Every structure is written in C-alpha cells, then in structure tokens.
C-alpha cells in the first residue's frame, strides 16, 4: 500500500485546521484586531484538537470503507493529527481569509501527512510496518 491514505488524511486534517482556526481570527472588535492576542501554545492546542478530531473521523471512515486494520490506521491518524495540528494551527490563525487558509493548510497538511508516512513506514508499505511496532 502506498502513502495515499496518509496524504488524504493530512489533507482533510489540514483543511479542517485551516478553516476552523482561521474562523477564530474573524471574531474581533470594531477595529478589526483580535479581542485578545493568542499565544503559540493556545493556537497549537486549538489546531491539535481540530486536527485530531478530523483525523480520527477520517481514519474511522477509511477503516469502515476499505476494511483495513484499526490499530495501524488510528496510529497514523494520531501521528498525522499531532503534527498537522501543532504546525498548522498558528499559520491558520494568521491567514485572515478562511478560504485561503483552507487551501494553504490543506496542501501543507497533505505534504505533512505524506512526510509522516514516509518517516514512519518507509517508501513501501504505508500500513504494514506501523502495526508491527
């Protein structure tokens, strides 16, 4: 199996992080500045929660449709969700257009998902080696 599952999981998690965290930025006062400045830790936590929810729902759908083993798919979802959420939460907050944040974070999430899969599983076999660990 190749890295398509990881890429798609990262794409979906990154897209959700982009839209939802960017929408947090739209809540502002009358002058257009945020009501309270968010720290990197808060944005990383927001992105982490959104990415983990999206990645786990995606993993559940993947397991339901393609009958893959649960443990390796959910481990990949955990790793991809953590990396995508922490790295893209801050970026999505600072992109003021939610549509642009969706596109940028979805592409970066796909790249991060593919990178995580290549690091954990090597070039060949996306799900065979993760479950064996």
């Amino acid at each position: 199996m190749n890295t398509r599952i990881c890429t798609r999981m990262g794409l979906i998690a990154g897209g959700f992080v982009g839209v939802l965290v960017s929408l947090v930025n739209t809540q502002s006062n009358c002058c257009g500045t945020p009501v309270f400045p968010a720290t990197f830790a808060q944005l990383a936590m927001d992105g982490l929660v959104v990415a983990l929810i999206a990645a786990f729902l995606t993993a559940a759908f993947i397991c339901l449709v393609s009958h893959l083993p649960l443990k390796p798919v959910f481990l990949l979802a955990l790793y991809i969700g953590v990396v995508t959420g922490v790295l893209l939460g801050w970026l999505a907050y600072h992109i003021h257009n939610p549509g642009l944040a969706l596109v940028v974070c979805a592409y970066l999430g796909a790249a991060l998902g593919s990178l995580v899969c290549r690091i954990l599983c090597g070039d060949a076999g996306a799900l065979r080696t993760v479950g064996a660990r």
Side-chain angles (χ1 to χ4, degrees), residues 68-129:
L68 291 173
L70 292 174
K71 185 179 176 184
V73 175
F74 276 95
L75 279 174
L76 281 174
L78 176 70
Y79 296 141
I80 291 171
V82 167
V83 170
T84 304
V86 170
L87 293 179
L88 297 181
W90 180 82
L91 176 68
Y93 182 79
H94 291 289
I95 298 176
H96 298 290
N97 185 354
L100 181 63
L102 167 73
V103 172
V104 170
C105 290
Y107 281 126
L108 289 175
L112 288 172
S114 177
L115 181 69
V116 166
C117 197
R118 288 193 187 277
I119 289 172
L120 291 177
C121 307
D123 289 332
L127 296 177
R128 287 181 291 208
T129 58

Side-chain angles (χ1 to χ4, degrees), residues 1-98:
M1 192 167 303
N2 55 17
T3 60
R4 289 184 306 168
I5 291 175
C6 300
T7 303
R8 290 176 182 167
M9 200 176 306
L11 180 100
I12 292 170
F16 272 99
V17 169
V19 168
L20 294 178
V21 175
S22 179
L23 286 175
V24 170
N25 190 21
T26 60
Q27 293 184 0
S28 61
N29 60 11
C30 62
C31 301
T33 57
V35 177
F36 56 91
T39 64
F40 179 78
Q42 290 172 336
L43 295 175
M45 186 59 71
D46 291 344
L48 182 67
V49 168
V50 171
L52 285 177
I53 291 171
F56 282 149
L57 289 176
T58 305
F61 183 75
I62 288 170
C63 289
L64 182 69
V65 170
S66 58
H67 304 291
L68 291 173
L70 292 174
K71 185 179 176 184
V73 175
F74 276 95
L75 279 174
L76 281 174
L78 176 70
Y79 296 141
I80 291 171
V82 167
V83 170
T84 304
V86 170
L87 293 179
L88 297 181
W90 180 82
L91 176 68
Y93 182 79
H94 291 289
I95 298 176
H96 298 290
N97 185 354

